Every structure is written in structure tokens, then in C-alpha cells.
Amino acid sequence: MFTRFTSMLHHAVEALAPNVSLQQEFMSHWKSVNQYFVDVIDHKMSVDQTPVPGHLKHMIQMLVREEAGGEAGVPGPCMEYLLKERILETLYTLARTDCPPGMKQLVLQLFIKLLSHVRQPLLPHIHVHRPVQRLVKMCGEVKASPAETDEIQFLLTLCSVVKQDPYLVNFFIEMPKPKTPDSSKSVMTNNDVIEICPRQSRFIIVDSLLRLMHSEDARVSVKACEGLMLISSLPEENAARHLLANTNFTSKLTSQLCSLYTALPKALYPADIEAVDAKWGLDIASSVDDRHSFPGKRSVISFLSWLDFCDQLIGVAHELVAKALALSIHERFLIALLEPAILQTSEVDAIMATAHLSRCLRLVSSPELITEFAFFILGHESEPEVFGVPSSHRLRQRLLERCDHISEEVCVATWKLFEMLLNKPNDHIVRNLVLRNLVSRGYTSSVSLPASAISSPTREHRPLSSPCSLPSTPLTADKPCKSEAAPSGFPLSGETESQSRVKPASFSLDPDDLVTPKDKVTDVSSADGEFVSSDALRSRSSGSGTSPPVFPEQLKRTESNKVELSYSNGGGEGDRVLEKSLKQEDEKDAGIIGRYELLDIRQVVSIFLNILPKDAISSHHSADSGYDSYLRDAQHQFAVMSAWHRKFNWPQKPVSKQNSPDWPFYEGLFLQKLLDKLSTMLQQSYEVNLQVTCVASRLALVPHANIHEFLLNPQLPIRQGCRNLPTVLQKLASDIQARVRIIPDFQKKLLGVRHKLMGYSNNSIRRSDDSSSLLAGVIVFEEFCKELAAIAFVKHHAETLQR
């Protein structure tokens, strides 16, 4: 009561007294604060019930007002008084004792307002940065403290100030005090004193942020991570070195990632892992998540959210910090935890670990972390592979061996992992898997391929192009090819069926989680650079149908000489429009040999579209009879892929580094497995065919000349005994032609299977039905050829626009 009466009397005297200067008023408020602590001995009541908060609030307002009316960068009388009387150090002492209760929070709020509202540099003053340093050390000392929110807000304010002036970070790197000769341990060597135990410095603001990072309050934890991201992104190399050498920054972040991974449930479905959407800072449950929940989903979201934070931090951090954290994740998470799980003999656990790796790879986007993932999966090898010699990197060898595993689930999970790899903009991935074996161009023959030799006895002439010829001679590709010239005409190539049939697995994957050829053409690129599939042309095991596919788009040439797509209602009109467009391309680009060595794009597209026998085509009975529905999406995907790989400065024309004429060509284990799986599409399940063709189309989109001619140039002369993608497709088309004569009512059954796959029929494809599985393979093959034709045309068109 007496205190309140004194305060009222003080205000009354101030109202009657004459006007005083701003400095005198400032001094008066500070003296009132001091007088309160002198008069009051028992500080049991909360600080909010005292006059202290009001006086401190007026002091901050006066400092801001003084700065606004004074000269910029020059401290006024109030600021000089604040520094001279060491007011901030006194306030730190009061906050340390937290007396009266709540004083710590009040002081933190005062420092936040002072640092955020006063524009002149304060931290260089010793009477400012010294109490600030002590407050920083105090943050996070007590877990679940009521002042945690104010502590993290104070630290974030400091991080923002340091981000604007990076040199200020040196005030928070605490160097050890020099030791006296009596207290330090040293030895004498040639009259020089050398200390045995080197002194360590401290990065106090990082230590406090790491303590608050483990707060039970999710909001405090997220803000602490934001502060770590700001500090790690500073351009000061000295700060980066101290961050790595004198803190537990990398070990704490990696340990948290490992802990969240080990906490994941053991019994999860790969489809559930792939469907989880997680972003750092948005780990909040919603009603949508509840409808699609499964046991362990919260654990999966927490793990992926933390990985996303590490990835974002690496993307913005200093180069030294980014490399160190990525390397720590490689050593302590990928090698220590994921590699043993992937290499184990248990199929179920291996599938789960491979699904985890695929989901992690899909999430990461920072170049440093992508590189570490690539080195972890593929190793560091860059020399051409030798047939029969296994890779020195055990994980790469094991994964490639699983590409034709007897278990369909293992096979599909492994191919999905390689699809994710090819979706990442990393030169080492493409070079390790494919390029190091193709740069020799040992697959080409010196015999040129005349255009007249390309004709097809298996197809009737269609208005789109001239007849194409593709022989059906059986070929072998189990051994590296020799340097024997191929005969004139289409190159002879292929393989023997050395692989066994894929046995039915013990459980089936959900068809809704599988990517179909139709899905592949409607893929779009998300914010993190990933291709996201849509829901067309897929089998519904539950019997529910889907909407009919979009009508095929038709190609037009605008006045600005750019490709423009519109919708039409039939395949015949689409073929006529396409034929007109191709003629315009031929007239404009005749004789041009660009990056992809396509002398006649009309002929190339015609080969891919006419390679399948007419009786085996089912799309002309539906709305998607032409390949032009694939053009728009191929154009978008190729634009994204070109932007990714433009920085690699790949050559404009195919590289040829022949060692000797007799040097055997080996396409490498990855391409060997890919071509083997494509050549046995009629003996494989629908799910395996979808995933393998998806990988092949992703590889065909890579803008490298050697890859393009190996996958998309059917006019390329091939050495005898070698093979490429067009020759494998030709061999498969010959097999389909033979099956057409054997299976009764082939066309009717084929159309029925297509309707089932598109959701028009409630009956699902049974794996025990060999005929349905074969017909599904024919449909996938047909759609795959359309997609290849679209990719080839889009690549050629992009090349001509650059000229």
C-alpha cells in the first residue's frame, strides 16, 4: 500500500514540476528502479506487480525517440548514460537471480526491444556485448523453463542482427583466457614453451541454440533450428571453422536424425512410406492426415521433417559447414544404419530399407547431400566397367543384382531407387551408371545405315510415315561385343533369354502406388524438383473405376515458331496434324546434324510408332490413339532436365574415345540389367514393366548426346553382337507378332485388358492369368514406344530452337 502511494505521489510531482530534458527523465526512471530494489527487501511478489516494468518500458521508448531525433550513428545523452552507468550489466545481474520472480523474462524482453528498435550499432560497445554474452550463456540452461519463449526470441533477434552485419559474430566466439605460467602445463623445447593441452574456444550462441533445439515445446525447437540456419549461413569463414571445431553442431544434428530413424516402426509398407508428405516446420497433425493414417506415421513424418531441415540447412550454409554436415550424415546415418539394413538377407527388411532410402533421396535437394547419397549408393568409380568384373562398391553391386531378383517386390523397390537417382541433378550419377561405358561409342559400326533399309514387314503402311523395316533375327548379348561390322540394313542385336521368369511374390503391391506409362506422361515437377505422377491408366484392385484419360493433344506450329498443343477428338486427325508438323520440321531442319545426330526426325518417330504389329495395337479403340498426348509433358520434363544438367557443359555431339578396333564394348551392369528387363516384358508382371519403362524414359530424357543416340536413334549402325534400346524393342516386337498368331481372339482380349487397366472394368488383372499378364505387357510396350517417340521429337525440336 505504501509503495503504491509513493508511486502516485511521484507521478503527481512530475505532473506539477516544470518540463525536464529527455536525459533527466531517463535518469529519473533508472533511479526509480534502483530505489525500488533498495526499499524492498522481500521480493516475493511477481515483477509484473511492481513499478519496474513501467520504468524500463519508458526508458526504451526514450532511447528510440532520442535516436529518431538525433544524428544517425551518434549516441545521444540517454544512450551515453546507459553505457556509462553500465545499466545493461545491472539488468543482467537481476535476470540471473530472477528476483523478483519474472525478472529474467522482463530483462530478455528489454534486450529484444533494445536490439531490434535501436538502429545504431550497439554490440561493439563493451558495456553492451558483455552483458549480451552472459545472457546468451544463460539461455537454455534450465530445461522446460518458463522463460524459454523469451530466450529463443532473444537468440533469434541476435541472429538477425548478426546476419545483417556478419562481422558481429566474432563477439559470440569466446576465446579462452590466457593461462599463467604456473597453471598451464608446458614443456621446454629449444627454449620455446609449447603447451601440452591446447585451449578451446566456445561458440556460445550456437551452444545455446543446440540446447534449445531439444526443447519439448515444438515452437521453441523450430525457432532454435531457424537460428542455427542463420548462423551456419554466415559468409565468415572464421565463424564456420569455429562452428565445426568448437561445437557439437554436426554430431548433434546427425544424432537426432539417427535417433528418429531407429524409432521408426519395423512393420511398414513401402507404399505408405512413399505417400507420406513431410516438410520441416510443418510437422502438425491435420484432419487429412488422420484420414490417411497408419501405425507409425507420426514417426515417419518426424524423421522426414528432420531430414528436410538438414537438407535445407546444407543448402544455405557456408561451404565448409555444408560439406561437413553432409559428410557426417553419410558416415553416421547412411553407412552406419542404412547400409546394413539394405544388405541384409531378409527380403522384407531389405525392401523396407530400400524404400526408406528412396524416400530420403526423393526428399533431398541440396547439391552436397545429393552428392553424398550418390557416393553412398554408387561409390566413386569413374572408369569404364569390365564385363564379368564386379564393382568394388558392394552396395552398388548388390542393388544392381537385385534389379532382376526373383521377388517382384525387391525388384520394383530397387528400380524405384534408381529412378530417384536419375531424377537428381548430379553428374556423377549419370556418369557412374551410364556415361563411363558409352563415351567410347564402341557400340557403333563404321557401316552407315541407308534410310531405304529401314522398313517394317510387320506393319501396314500408315499415313504418318513410310514403311519401316526391323528384322527379327535372334541375337545374343550375354558377352561383350567384338569389333565385327554389322551387315547393311538395320543392325542385328538383341539377347538370349538367360533370365528366369519372375515368380509370383508372397504379397502384392497396391496398384494405386505404381506409375503407369500414362502416368509418366502426365508427370509434373514439384517445388523440390521431383516428378509427381498422376492417376491415369492404372489397375484398380478394389474395382473402382477412374476417369477416362485426356484426349490426345495435337501439335501446331505458331507464328512465333514455337510448339503449341491443343486438344482433339481422334487419333486419325492427330496423325495428320503430326505428319504436317514433321514435314515443317524436315523443311526447316534438313541436313542439320545437331547434338543428337538426328538426320530425319520424321523417320525416327515413325520407327518408334510403327514398331508394334498392327494387330497388337489397342489404343486406336480409345481416345489416346496418337503419341502426341505425350508431347506436352515430354517438353516440360526435358526443359526441367536440361536446366538441371546445363551446368555440366556436356558436349554438343557424341563423344568417341575408341581405344582400339578390337576393344570389346560393354554397356555396363546398369544398362545390361535395364535392357534385359525390357527384353523380357512379356514374361514379367505389370508392376515390374511399369517401373522398368519409367526408369528407361527418365534416362532417355537426359540431355547427353551419347545417351540419346544409344536409346533414341534407331538409325544408328550397331556393331554385330551389340545392342541398344531400339534393337531390343525390335526383338520384342517380333516376339509379340509371334504371340498374335498363337493366342485366339488376341485383339478382343487385348482391348479388354486395356479397359481393365484404365479402370473401365471392375475386374482386376490376376497374376495367375498368363494371358492377361502378357497382354498387359503388350499395352505397356505400346505406350512406352509412344513416349520414346515424343521424347525424341521434343529433343530434336529443342535442338533446332537453339540454332
Side-chain angles (χ1 to χ4, degrees):
M1 178 67 70
F2 180 75
T3 303
R4 293 182 180 178
F5 177 75
T6 304
S7 177
M8 292 174 59
L9 182 61
H10 177 73
H11 287 297
V13 171
E14 287 182 349
L16 297 175
N19 294 332
V20 296
S21 64
L22 195 63
Q23 180 183 5
Q24 291 176 342
E25 187 177 359
F26 185 86
M27 295 169 58
S28 175
H29 281 292
W30 178 242
K31 289 179 181 179
S32 299
V33 173
N34 286 332
Q35 189 64 36
Y36 169 81
F37 286 100
V38 171
D39 296 340
V40 180
I41 300 176
D42 189 9
H43 301 285
K44 290 184 178 180
M45 66 174 62
S46 173
V47 70
D48 295 331
Q49 300 175 357
T50 68
V52 175
H55 289 300
L56 295 179
K57 178 181 178 182
H58 282 95
M59 292 173 64
I60 293 296
Q61 291 175 350
M62 292 176 187
L63 289 173
V64 175
R65 196 189 324 161
E66 180 185 67
E67 184 185 40
E71 186 177 353
V74 179
C78 295
M79 181 62 68
E80 290 181 350
Y81 180 81
L82 176 79
L83 300 175
K84 180 180 179 181
E85 296 296 325
R86 301 183 180 182
I87 294 177
L88 297 181
E89 296 186 19
T90 304
L91 291 175
Y92 160 74
T93 304
L94 296 174
R96 186 67 180 175
T97 59
D98 198 20
C99 183
M103 192 65 190
K104 178 180 178 180
Q105 295 170 267
L106 179 62
V107 172
L108 287 171
Q109 294 170 6
L110 183 141
F111 272 78
I112 292 172
K113 293 177 181 178
L114 183 66
L115 294 172
S116 58
H117 293 119
V118 177
R119 301 303 177 189
Q120 58 180 298
L122 296 178
L123 283 178
H125 296 282
I126 187 172
H127 298 306
V128 176
H129 71 251
R130 182 180 295 171
V132 168
Q133 288 174 347
R134 294 172 179 174
L135 274 178
V136 169
K137 294 179 186 178
M138 189 175 59
C139 294
E141 286 184 342
V142 181
K143 292 185 177 181
S145 168
E148 265 191 350
T149 303
D150 297 296
E151 290 175 354
I152 190 60
Q153 191 62 40
F154 168 66
L155 293 177
L156 277 181
T157 302
L158 282 178
C159 292
S160 300
V161 172
V162 172
K163 184 67 176 178
Q164 295 176 359
D165 297 310
Y167 75 94
L168 296 176
V169 73
N170 295 301
F171 290 111
F172 303 100
I173 301 175
E174 191 178 71
M175 304 302 295
K177 296 180 180 180
K179 297 181 180 180
T180 61
D182 297 335
S183 60
S184 62
K185 296 181 181 180
S186 60
V187 293
M188 296 294 297
T189 304
N190 296 330
N191 299 324
D192 293 331
V193 179
I194 300 179
E195 293 183 349
I196 296 178
C197 300
R199 298 186 297 267
Q200 295 291 329
S201 60
R202 294 181 57 193
F203 207 153
I204 57 176
I205 192 170
V206 175
D207 293 336
S208 298
L209 288 171
L210 289 175
R211 288 194 295 266
L212 291 173
M213 184 184 72
H214 299 287
S215 173
E216 296 296 331
D217 191 340
R219 293 170 297 181
V220 173
S221 178
V222 169
K223 289 183 178 181
C225 293
E226 291 177 357
L228 291 173
M229 191 175 295
L230 287 173
I231 294 297
S232 63
S233 63
L234 295 176
E236 292 286 325
E237 184 175 344
N238 180 53
R241 294 188 181 278
H242 279 282
L243 178 66
L244 299 176
N246 301 314
T247 68
N248 297 324
F249 176 77
T250 57
S251 60
K252 288 266 189 178
L253 268 59
T254 309
S255 298
Q256 179 74 359
L257 182 66
C258 296
S259 300
L260 292 173
Y261 176 76
T262 54
L264 294 178
K266 302 300 180 183
L268 289 175
Y269 291 99
D272 292 335
I273 299 174
E274 187 177 356
V276 169
D277 187 18
K279 289 291 182 182
W280 171 70
L282 301 177
D283 188 9
I284 302 175
S286 62
S287 58
V288 178
D289 294 332
D290 295 337
R291 290 198 301 267
H292 301 86
S293 63
F294 57 88
K297 182 174 182 178
R298 298 304 305 169
S299 300
V300 176
I301 291 178
S302 298
F303 165 71
L304 293 177
S305 298
W306 189 256
L307 178 63
D308 185 53
F309 162 68
C310 295
D311 178 66
Q312 291 187 33
L313 188 145
I314 292 173
V316 300
H318 189 277
E319 182 181 3
L320 296 177
V321 179
K323 290 182 179 179
L325 181 56
L327 184 61
S328 178
I329 293 175
H330 184 175
E331 294 175 349
R332 301 183 59 183
F333 171 60
L334 296 178
I335 295 180
L337 294 180
L338 267 182
E339 184 175 14
I342 295 174
L343 294 178
Q344 60 186 317
T345 56
S346 172
E347 289 186 6
V348 176
D349 295 338
I351 292 172
M352 187 60 55
T354 306
H356 285 149
L357 180 58
S358 299
R359 187 63 183 87
C360 293
L361 188 60
R362 170 182 156 193
L363 181 68
V364 299
S365 58
S366 58
E368 292 83 2
L369 197 53
I370 291 176
T371 300
E372 294 300 329
F373 268 85
F375 288 155
F376 166 69
I377 298 173
L378 304 176
H380 297 263
E381 298 174 347
S382 59
E383 295 297 323
E385 297 178 67
V386 180
F387 179 77
V389 178
S391 172
S392 60
H393 192 69
R394 183 175 58 168
L395 182 59
R396 181 185 190 273
Q397 184 70 22
R398 183 68 61 85
L399 289 173
L400 288 175
E401 290 173 355
R402 288 178 179 174
C403 286
D404 57 355
H405 198 274
I406 193 173
S407 170
E408 288 186 5
E409 286 73 23
V410 175
C411 182
V412 171
T414 307
W415 281 112
K416 282 186 178 180
L417 175 61
F418 283 108
E419 178 192 358
M420 292 301 169
L421 271 176
L422 292 174
N423 280 338
K424 296 300 174 181
N426 186 273
D427 179 67
H428 178 72
I429 294 175
V430 181
R431 192 167 301 279
N432 182 279
L433 289 176
V434 181
L435 278 184
R436 58 172 169 161
N437 304 303
L438 297 185
V439 291
S440 66
R441 296 192 74 198
Y443 49 86
T444 60
S445 171
S446 59
V447 179
S448 61
L449 182 63
S452 59
I454 304 178
S455 60
S456 177
T458 64
R459 294 287 303 275
E460 295 181 4
H461 174 68
R462 301 202 311 188
L464 178 63
S465 62
S466 59
C468 306
S469 175
L470 297 173
S472 58
T473 307
L475 305 167
T476 60
D478 295 331
K479 299 181 180 180
C481 63
K482 303 297 181 180
S483 59
E484 298 178 8
S488 60
F490 199 89
L492 300 178
S493 61
E495 66 174 1
T496 59
E497 294 186 1
S498 58
Q499 297 177 334
S500 60
R501 288 173 175 263
V502 179
K503 296 183 179 180
S506 57
F507 64 94
S508 61
L509 297 176
D510 186 2
D512 290 347
D513 297 320
L514 298 173
V515 184
T516 68
K518 191 68 178 175
D519 290 333
K520 293 184 290 184
V521 301
T522 54
D523 289 348
V524 295
S525 180
S526 61
D528 56 349
E530 298 291 338
F531 290 111
V532 183
S533 301
S534 65
D535 298 323
L537 191 57
R538 61 176 51 178
S539 173
R540 299 283 184 179
S541 58
S542 60
S544 61
T546 58
S547 302
V550 181
F551 288 111
E553 296 98 357
Q554 306 302 334
L555 189 66
K556 293 182 179 180
R557 176 73 63 180
T558 62
E559 294 179 358
S560 59
N561 203 22
K562 295 183 179 179
V563 172
E564 190 177 83
L565 298 166
S566 62
Y567 292 103
S568 70
N569 296 323
E573 180 65 23
D575 288 345
R576 288 192 294 272
V577 175
L578 175 62
E579 183 177 9
K580 181 179 179 180
S581 302
L582 291 174
K583 284 182 179 179
Q584 294 175 355
E585 289 287 333
D586 291 341
E587 294 172 359
K588 177 184 176 182
D589 306 322
I592 295 180
I593 302 179
R595 175 186 303 220
Y596 305 119
E597 298 282 343
L598 295 183
L599 299 178
D600 190 351
I601 186 60
R602 175 191 177 92
Q603 192 77 339
V604 171
V605 172
S606 175
I607 291 173
F608 282 119
L609 294 182
N610 296 337
I611 193 172
L612 196 63
K614 183 178 180 180
D615 295 336
I617 295 178
S618 58
S619 60
H620 60 272
H621 293 286
S622 59
D624 58 341
S625 60
Y627 96 110
D628 33 342
S629 60
Y630 291 83
L631 282 173
R632 175 180 298 172
D633 301 284
Q635 185 181 24
H636 170 68
Q637 294 172 13
F638 180 68
V640 173
M641 193 77 74
S642 298
W644 285 351
H645 297 85
R646 189 174 294 117
K647 60 183 178 181
F648 301 141
N649 296 323
W650 282 338
Q652 296 292 323
K653 294 184 178 182
V655 178
S656 181
K657 296 181 180 179
Q658 294 270 9
N659 293 325
S660 67
D662 297 328
W663 190 266
F665 170 73
Y666 178 50
E667 64 267 31
L669 189 56
F670 175 75
L671 281 178
Q672 178 186 345
K673 295 292 183 179
L674 182 62
L675 297 179
D676 287 347
K677 298 300 287 185
L678 290 173
S679 64
T680 56
M681 289 180 63
L682 301 183
Q683 292 84 41
Q684 295 168 172
S685 68
Y686 178 64
E687 293 82 1
V688 173
N689 287 335
L690 291 177
Q691 192 57 53
V692 172
T693 54
C694 185
V695 173
S697 63
R698 290 288 180 264
L699 185 60
L701 284 166
V702 175
H704 192 282
N706 290 67
I707 296 177
H708 177 87
E709 73 168 2
F710 188 82
L711 298 179
L712 296 177
N713 191 353
Q715 298 174 326
L716 186 71
I718 301 298
R719 297 168 71 180
Q720 186 175 4
C722 295
R723 60 176 178 172
N724 63 350
L725 180 58
T727 57
V728 170
L729 298 180
Q730 178 270 329
K731 174 64 167 56
L732 190 59
S734 301
D735 295 341
I736 294 174
Q737 184 181 15
R739 303 294 181 100
V740 170
R741 303 189 186 100
I742 298 175
I743 300 177
D745 298 328
F746 184 91
Q747 186 70 31
K748 182 178 179 181
K749 293 181 179 179
L750 186 66
L751 188 59
V753 172
R754 173 175 280 271
H755 286 166
K756 292 178 183 179
L757 296 178
M758 299 183 69
Y760 297 152
S761 175
N762 294 331
N763 298 326
S764 59
I765 297 178
R766 295 172 296 178
R767 296 194 176 190
S768 58
D769 190 348
D770 294 338
S771 176
S772 296
S773 179
L774 184 147
L775 295 175
V778 174
I779 294 173
V780 174
F781 177 78
E782 178 185 353
E783 298 299 321
F784 179 54
C785 291
K786 294 179 188 177
E787 187 172 13
L788 292 178
I791 294 173
F793 181 81
V794 166
K795 280 188 168 184
H796 177 79
H797 182 74
E799 176 69 19
T800 57
L801 289 180
Q802 295 177 2
R803 294 181 176 273

